[in-house]
Amino acid sequence: MEDSLEQITDDIEQNFLTQFSSMVTTDKDDLIKQFQTLGENLNYSTAAFFLDMSNWNLQAAVGCYFDFMFFSRLPSVKIISDLTIGKDEKVTPNTQFQLSWQLQNNGETSWPVGSYLRSELDDRKYDVPSLAPNDTTIITVDVTSPPTFGFFTSKWFLCTPYGSQFGDSITSNLDVCENGTLAITQHLSQLQTLASFGETIESTSVSRQNASYETLEDTDMWG
């Protein structure tokens, strides 16, 4: 099976090498665009990384990329649920709020250290843990709603430290309007969490006092 997969990979690589052999451009942007045709999940930074590593030789970069892909299989991810508080509510413009998802590593290898989550709209990177197979994690990101009214969709991607995307994209829909309540709902939820935490600490303190008193009584009994 592995030999068959290696042969398929070699054939694909050879086809791309033949396709790119006639290219004579030295423009870096053109080279990056051509390199990105190797796969739909191949982003700009990943293409630039392999080209720069190969001294901007397109054919050499293609070879390095396929060697890397063969010996380092991309991780896998499964979206368990959207945990965003108030996720079906609308939000006001220019308002900070949080998006949260529960994700699972449904592959056979751990997510590499240095993997990150990014949005298609900007270059910010949100660190994610090195997750073992079958383990789950909750990822929360702070975002700001658009400044104008309307219905918006954003896509998020998990990436390896080298910038290669893996797994399905995460889609987040947002309805921005004047009377949105999403941020208020999340703020109230945070206050309730803090209040519950305070009650837990107080209850724990009382329990410890009672426990100490009971222990003291026991000590007196056995004195």
Side-chain angles (χ1 to χ4, degrees), residues 1-16:
M1 180 66 177
E2 185 174 340
D3 291 340
S4 177
L5 180 60
E6 184 175 7
Q7 182 60 49
I8 293 174
T9 304
D10 288 342
D11 292 342
I12 295 174
E13 178 183 351
Q14 189 58 48
N15 288 336
F16 277 108

Side-chain angles (χ1 to χ4, degrees), residues 116-191:
Y116 60 89
L117 178 75
R118 72 170 185 86
S119 167
E120 65 176 350
L121 302 178
D122 58 46
D123 294 328
R124 289 183 61 186
K125 298 179 180 179
Y126 301 85
D127 293 336
V128 298
S130 176
L131 204 63
N134 298 319
D135 282 357
T136 61
T137 186
I138 296 176
I139 305 296
T140 299
V141 296
D142 295 313
V143 294
T144 302
S145 61
T148 56
F149 298 150
F151 189 81
F152 300 87
T153 298
S154 64
K155 288 187 177 182
W156 300 76
F157 306 93
L158 281 173
C159 301
T160 67
Y162 298 99
S164 296
Q165 298 171 13
F166 63 91
D168 294 332
S169 62
I170 305 171
T171 301
S172 176
N173 297 318
L174 190 64
D175 192 351
V176 181
C177 66
E178 186 177 359
N179 59 348
T181 57
L182 175 59
I184 296 176
T185 299
Q186 292 193 353
H187 182 64
L188 291 175
S189 176
Q190 291 173 357
L191 291 178

Side-chain angles (χ1 to χ4, degrees), residues 5-174:
L5 180 60
E6 184 175 7
Q7 182 60 49
I8 293 174
T9 304
D10 288 342
D11 292 342
I12 295 174
E13 178 183 351
Q14 189 58 48
N15 288 336
F16 277 108
L17 289 174
T18 302
Q19 174 185 333
F20 295 149
S21 62
S22 59
M23 287 197 61
V24 294
T25 181
T26 57
D27 183 86
K28 291 185 177 180
D29 284 335
D30 287 342
L31 289 171
I32 290 173
K33 289 178 182 178
Q34 288 297 320
F35 193 90
Q36 285 182 285
T37 62
L38 293 177
E40 59 180 12
N41 290 331
L42 193 57
N43 59 32
Y44 187 95
S45 60
T46 302
F49 171 81
F50 281 99
L51 283 163
D52 184 62
M53 185 174 63
S54 305
N55 199 29
W56 296 94
N57 182 305
L58 184 57
Q59 289 183 288
V62 169
C64 289
Y65 175 74
F66 277 102
D67 285 345
F68 172 80
M69 292 298 293
F70 180 77
F71 290 108
S72 179
R73 297 283 181 262
L74 285 176
S76 183
V77 61
K78 178 181 179 181
I79 305 168
I80 301 297
S81 60
D82 186 342
L83 300 180
T84 300
I85 297 174
K87 63 179 179 179
D88 295 324
E89 297 182 20
K90 300 177 182 179
V91 65
T92 50
N94 279 323
T95 302
Q96 291 186 342
F97 64 100
Q98 292 182 329
L99 297 173
S100 296
W101 306 278
Q102 183 180 29
L103 307 177
Q104 180 187 41
N105 179 353
N106 63 336
E108 299 179 353
T109 59
S110 297
W111 294 355
V113 175
S115 296
Y116 60 89
L117 178 75
R118 72 170 185 86
S119 167
E120 65 176 350
L121 302 178
D122 58 46
D123 294 328
R124 289 183 61 186
K125 298 179 180 179
Y126 301 85
D127 293 336
V128 298
S130 176
L131 204 63
N134 298 319
D135 282 357
T136 61
T137 186
I138 296 176
I139 305 296
T140 299
V141 296
D142 295 313
V143 294
T144 302
S145 61
T148 56
F149 298 150
F151 189 81
F152 300 87
T153 298
S154 64
K155 288 187 177 182
W156 300 76
F157 306 93
L158 281 173
C159 301
T160 67
Y162 298 99
S164 296
Q165 298 171 13
F166 63 91
D168 294 332
S169 62
I170 305 171
T171 301
S172 176
N173 297 318
L174 190 64

